[in-house]
């Protein structure tokens, strides 16, 4: 049981961009050397995500309610990507894995992400639409227009997150970089970027350009 717990602890450390040998006795500078490079890369990518949100300032200013549901899209995209990453890391432990099996894994995770995204997107469409219409008093047209953007964005974000959560670790494994160390933080930030572009882009196109709805 202790061996299993130790292995799980190492896996979680690697998914966070850390190495398994980090512990309380390691010098401060050594810990910093292992973390700073990845954090610096993610800082730059995080700035790009923030800049993308700034591009859609018109959406935020005209439809402030959409900001409330941004974290929902980001979190679900991150969850889907993390699930695919965990599956892929486990599969990549097989040294005899063939190229065909890797491709099958990608398409399998793509299907899983698409179906899960569709089901959760449909639930979001119904429940968030009713929530906005009834509890926020915005009316059913507005409520379901917003929830349609959320549902569609959730479906696309989860699909793409499942793909990136599979392809990125396979790529790192191919170029001899430990996928468990490098993939987790990168996938999270890439998925954030995809989710933000999808959500605000869909909201801008459907609600502002086509339906011209506003608060």
């Amino acid at each position: 049981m202790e061996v299993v717990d130790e292995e799980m602890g190492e896996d979680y450390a690697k998914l966070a961009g850390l190495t398994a040998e980090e512990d309380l006795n390691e010098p401060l500078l050594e810990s910093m050397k292992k973390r700073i490079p990845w954090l610096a890369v993610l800082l730059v990518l995080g700035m790009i995500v923030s800049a993308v949100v700034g591009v859609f300032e018109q959406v935020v200013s005209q439809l402030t309610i959409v900001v409330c549901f941004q974290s929902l899209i980001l979190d679900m995209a991150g969850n889907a990507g993390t699930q695919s990453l965990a599956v892929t890391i486990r599969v990549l432990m097989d040294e005899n894995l063939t190229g065909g099996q890797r491709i099958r894994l990608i398409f399998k995770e793509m299907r899983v992400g698409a179906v899960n995204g569709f089901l959760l997107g449909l639930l979001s469409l119904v429940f968030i639409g009713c929530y906005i219409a009834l509890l926020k008093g915005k009316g059913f047209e507005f409520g379901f227009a917003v929830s349609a953007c959320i549902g569609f964005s959730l479906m696309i974000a989860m699909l793409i997150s499942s793909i990136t959560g599979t392809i990125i670790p396979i790529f790192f494994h191919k170029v001899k970089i430990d996928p468990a160390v490098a993939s987790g933080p990168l996938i999270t930030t890439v998925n954030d970027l995809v989710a933000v572009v999808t959500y605000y882009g869909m909201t801008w196109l459907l609600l502002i350009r086509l339906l011209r709805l506003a608060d």
Side-chain angles (χ1 to χ4, degrees):
M1 186 67 177
E2 291 181 0
V3 174
V4 173
D5 290 340
E6 183 178 348
E7 290 178 351
M8 289 180 63
E10 291 180 357
D11 290 341
Y12 280 116
K14 288 181 177 181
L15 288 176
L18 311 178
T19 50
E21 63 268 18
E22 276 190 311
D23 54 33
L24 292 174
N25 297 321
E26 186 176 61
L28 174 63
L29 289 178
E30 288 300 315
S31 295
M32 291 177 61
K33 285 179 187 177
K34 294 174 183 176
R35 302 187 191 191
I36 281 291
W38 288 111
L39 293 176
V41 171
L42 296 175
L43 175 63
V44 174
L45 291 176
M47 290 179 180
I48 295 175
V49 174
S50 299
V52 169
V53 175
V55 170
F56 293 103
E57 184 177 353
Q58 180 189 13
V59 175
V60 177
S61 63
Q62 294 189 38
L63 292 163
T64 54
I65 195 170
V66 302
V67 180
C68 302
F69 301 100
Q70 173 182 309
S71 61
L72 171 68
I73 308 295
L74 297 180
D75 289 346
M76 292 308 298
N79 293 339
T82 301
Q83 287 179 335
S84 293
L85 171 61
V87 171
T88 304
I89 293 296
R90 190 163 63 243
V91 171
L92 289 176
M93 293 176 64
D94 182 2
E95 295 297 331
N96 298 319
L97 194 68
T98 65
Q101 289 174 318
R102 290 187 176 93
I103 293 174
R104 270 180 23 217
L105 174 64
I106 293 172
F107 279 101
K108 179 217 166 193
E109 289 301 313
M110 184 186 303
R111 292 195 301 272
V112 170
V115 173
N116 286 342
F118 174 77
L119 294 176
L120 295 176
L122 191 60
L123 286 175
S124 299
L125 169 65
V126 175
F127 286 106
I128 294 177
C130 292
Y131 167 77
I132 295 175
L134 300 176
L135 298 183
K136 290 294 183 179
K138 299 292 185 180
F140 283 98
E141 180 186 10
F142 180 83
F144 280 95
V146 173
S147 69
C149 291
I150 295 171
F152 181 79
S153 301
L154 189 60
M155 180 178 67
I156 297 299
M158 289 185 66
L159 169 61
I160 296 178
S161 296
S162 297
I163 296 172
T164 58
T166 309
I167 290 179
I168 289 178
I170 288 177
F171 169 76
F172 280 137
H173 185 264
K174 186 72 174 177
V175 297
K176 307 302 182 183
I177 296 176
D178 188 349
V181 174
S183 299
L186 179 60
I187 288 171
T188 299
T189 309
V190 169
N191 289 343
D192 284 350
L193 180 59
V194 170
V196 164
V197 171
T198 304
Y199 181 42
Y200 284 111
M202 187 67 189
T203 304
W204 176 82
L205 178 64
L206 180 60
L207 301 186
I208 294 181
R209 299 291 294 179
L210 298 182
L211 301 181
R212 300 190 181 281
L213 298 175
D215 285 338

